[in-house]
Amino acid sequence: SRQRHANMASATIATMHNQAQLATQSSRVRHGMRSTISPSLPRLHARVARSSTRHRTVLRVCAADDAKSLDELRKTTGFGRGKALSTQTEGKLSGKSVEIMQAAWADGGGFSGAWKAYMQKARDDFLAFRDQAGRGEIVDPMMWCLAIAAEDDANSTHSVVELPVATYEKRLTSLVTEFINNYLPDDKEDPLKVAKAVEQYLFETKKFTAATKQKVIDNEMYSPYRVYIHNVLPQVCGAPTVLAAIYISFLLRLQAAGHLTGDLRVVLPVLGGVEGLPFSQLPEEEVPEGFVEASPEYIVAESLTTLKMGYWPWEWIPGHEYGFLTTAQAAIGMDGRFGRGVAGTFVPPKGRPYGDVKRALSACERLVLLRADAFQLRDYGVLLYHVGRVPEAYEALKGFREAYDPTAPTIPIAGFESGPRATEQETELLDQLIKQIEVQIAEQSLELS
């Protein structure tokens, strides 16, 4: 019987997915929410923009009516961040990522709908900063990180009071004002000298420190608490990526006030690599080994990656950039009841007896929106399956399988010796999970009929 159902799945998937999308849209209307993705779905394209880091090229998924063709973009930029995507499938991924993307809003239940509006506003700000960076404009990385914090704060607390983003911006502005009045060097014409004075002010006078490996639990990278910038500003301790965001935003404000001229490059330690603080150097200087150039895109991507790893409810294998393996094993029942999602609660058989699937899903979703990374799409799909969004999970996992080309060359990325490859075990798990979903959808279709 299950085999017959599986054979019928291909004929019912499209119908079930359309029904799920209509139900989701209807639910959003009832709860007074508007979808993250425009219902009109304008013509999509993948716009490739090389970030200022030498380690990676960021491939963003955007919507526009005057899009350049992928072929034209590929001539000047090549592939994205460590992906193995074929020419035929790269376009499929860019369209599929946006097609299946749904906001990871939780059901508000009896709570006020205010927090949902705060989430939506923060997500809109996040996407606006992404598009601003894609146009080559200057982006304030602290404000971009605050958009991440504001969305997750509303998502986790359901507060009727919005995260006071302007208050945290004022906190940095007051630091800049104090620096200008008391610590600004007389020789303002030397940008490097001004930058070094800022470093001394932030990291010695104000004692901003980096979260070190001694503060890390069981290879969990940095705690999410040290990644949210609204925590780092008052606690003066955070991940180097967040300290870099504060530092760069500080320099931008000095520049706007006319106290900093000339070109500088800010570098920071590679995530999970050497310990250290961000610092400035002249553009012609070589980036030290173990460090990477700190572009706003890099800062945001690594911050979201750290949050995703920190909130991942299943064991995260040390040295892995993606969490698919253990999560897929739980999805197909290799650990029995352990690791299976029940009303948002997950009990892993070993490793991490905690996690927040809602915020892990949200971080993963924003990583997919930030760059067309097939492996992020795979992680996103398996998370969707665990929270019961089965048709969307199916589309995401199928999208990964169509986009991934195991024969394509990979590009080394910061913190890893080479770009990601799907292992034989992961490929088998993916096939098993897709077949399992097809059977489930076919059975649901028969029940409805």
Side-chain angles (χ1 to χ4, degrees):
S1 175
R2 287 186 177 273
Q3 184 60 43
R4 290 198 304 273
H5 293 165
N7 293 337
M8 296 173 59
S10 59
T12 59
I13 291 299
T15 301
M16 290 297 297
H17 181 55
N18 290 336
Q19 291 173 348
Q21 286 183 322
L22 290 173
T24 301
Q25 292 173 2
S26 175
S27 175
R28 292 183 190 283
V29 172
R30 289 197 304 272
H31 290 286
M33 296 170 54
R34 57 191 178 92
S35 174
T36 303
I37 303 304
S38 169
S40 61
L41 286 178
R43 184 159 55 91
L44 302 169
H45 77 285
R47 178 171 59 205
V48 185
R50 193 173 299 279
S51 73
S52 58
T53 167
R54 62 173 180 162
H55 287 279
R56 61 185 65 183
T57 299
V58 177
L59 180 64
R60 300 182 191 83
V61 179
C62 316
D65 291 329
D66 55 347
K68 296 182 179 180
S69 68
L70 283 174
D71 291 337
E72 181 182 351
L73 290 167
R74 189 178 290 106
K75 291 177 183 177
T76 57
T77 57
F79 290 121
R81 174 183 183 264
K83 267 83 64 196
L85 302 182
S86 68
T87 303
Q88 292 78 15
T89 59
E90 186 178 353
K92 292 181 181 179
L93 174 61
S94 63
K96 184 66 69 176
S97 299
V98 179
E99 177 187 342
I100 68 167
M101 190 61 59
Q102 299 289 342
W105 311 143
D107 185 358
F111 291 93
S112 166
W115 63 272
K116 297 178 183 178
Y118 300 151
M119 282 186 68
Q120 182 64 64
K121 180 179 179 297
R123 176 61 66 87
D124 290 343
D125 289 342
F126 175 88
L127 295 175
F129 287 126
R130 179 204 65 180
D131 295 342
Q132 185 179 342
R135 294 190 296 268
E137 300 173 8
I138 295 175
V139 179
D140 187 330
M142 187 189 78
M143 300 306 295
W144 201 348
C145 290
L146 277 171
I148 295 173
E151 179 177 333
D152 285 6
D153 176 77
N155 193 14
S156 61
T157 66
H158 293 184
S159 174
V160 296
V161 180
E162 186 177 9
L163 185 75
V165 169
T167 300
Y168 295 103
E169 186 179 11
K170 285 181 180 178
R171 183 184 289 265
L172 182 65
T173 301
S174 66
L175 292 175
V176 173
T177 301
E178 182 184 46
F179 174 82
I180 292 174
N181 292 335
N182 302 296
Y183 299 93
L184 185 67
D186 295 331
D187 186 10
K188 297 188 297 183
E189 302 303 318
D190 185 347
L192 192 58
K193 188 173 183 179
V194 174
K196 295 304 176 185
V198 173
E199 292 169 20
Q200 184 176 11
Y201 172 74
L202 286 177
F203 304 133
E204 295 181 22
T205 304
K206 293 300 178 181
K207 302 186 184 304
F208 278 86
T209 58
T212 63
K213 290 182 179 178
Q214 283 70 37
K215 298 179 182 179
V216 176
I217 302 174
D218 191 25
N219 293 319
E220 294 296 339
M221 309 302 288
Y222 298 112
S223 164
Y225 187 78
R226 301 302 182 191
V227 177
Y228 289 124
I229 201 165
H230 68 297
N231 291 330
V232 175
L233 275 169
Q235 296 297 325
V236 298
C237 179
T241 49
V242 183
L243 296 181
I246 295 171
Y247 177 45
I248 293 173
S249 295
F250 196 108
L251 295 179
L252 287 176
R253 282 160 176 75
L254 283 180
Q255 189 179 55
H259 298 297
L260 180 63
T261 59
D263 296 329
L264 291 170
R265 175 198 292 134
V266 176
V267 298
L268 77 156
V270 171
L271 183 68
V274 298
E275 295 182 5
L277 293 165
F279 65 89
S280 289
Q281 60 177 190
L282 296 174
E284 58 269 21
E285 295 182 76
E286 185 177 352
V287 176
E289 184 178 355
F291 283 74
V292 62
E293 189 171 348
S295 69
E297 297 97 325
Y298 179 86
I299 289 171
V300 168
E302 296 305 331
S303 295
L304 287 172
T305 298
T306 307
L307 290 173
K308 173 186 161 186
M309 296 170 71
Y311 287 127
W312 202 260
W314 297 268
E315 181 184 17
W316 194 281
I317 301 175
H320 282 219
E321 192 185 12
Y322 304 96
F324 176 79
L325 182 61
T326 55
T327 311
Q329 289 173 337
I332 64 174
M334 289 182 64
D335 296 317
R337 289 178 58 191
F338 291 108
R340 302 297 295 273
V342 180
T345 300
F346 300 84
V347 184
K350 59 180 179 178
R352 312 172 57 185
Y354 56 91
D356 188 328
V357 69
K358 183 168 58 177
R359 284 192 275 187
L361 183 65
S362 181
C364 193
E365 180 175 279
R366 282 171 288 184
L367 281 167
V368 175
L369 287 168
L370 187 64
R371 53 166 65 106
D373 183 340
F375 288 88
Q376 295 292 356
L377 188 61
R378 185 182 63 174
D379 278 2
Y380 184 59
V382 73
L383 284 179
L384 287 171
Y385 180 78
H386 274 286
V387 299
R389 291 160 62 182
V390 177
E392 293 170 80
Y394 181 79
E395 293 296 325
L397 296 172
K398 289 276 286 186
F400 167 79
R401 192 160 67 177
E402 293 170 3
Y404 176 64
D405 180 3
T407 64
T410 63
I411 304 172
I413 57 178
F416 298 87
E417 295 181 357
S418 63
R421 290 285 192 194
T423 65
E424 183 176 347
Q425 184 182 15
E426 290 172 337
T427 301
E428 292 177 356
L429 283 170
L430 177 67
D431 292 340
Q432 285 182 263
L433 183 54
I434 288 177
K435 290 178 182 178
Q436 180 172 301
I437 293 174
E438 289 175 345
V439 170
Q440 291 177 356
I441 292 179
E443 288 175 341
Q444 292 173 6
S445 178
L446 289 175
E447 290 173 2
L448 290 174
S449 61

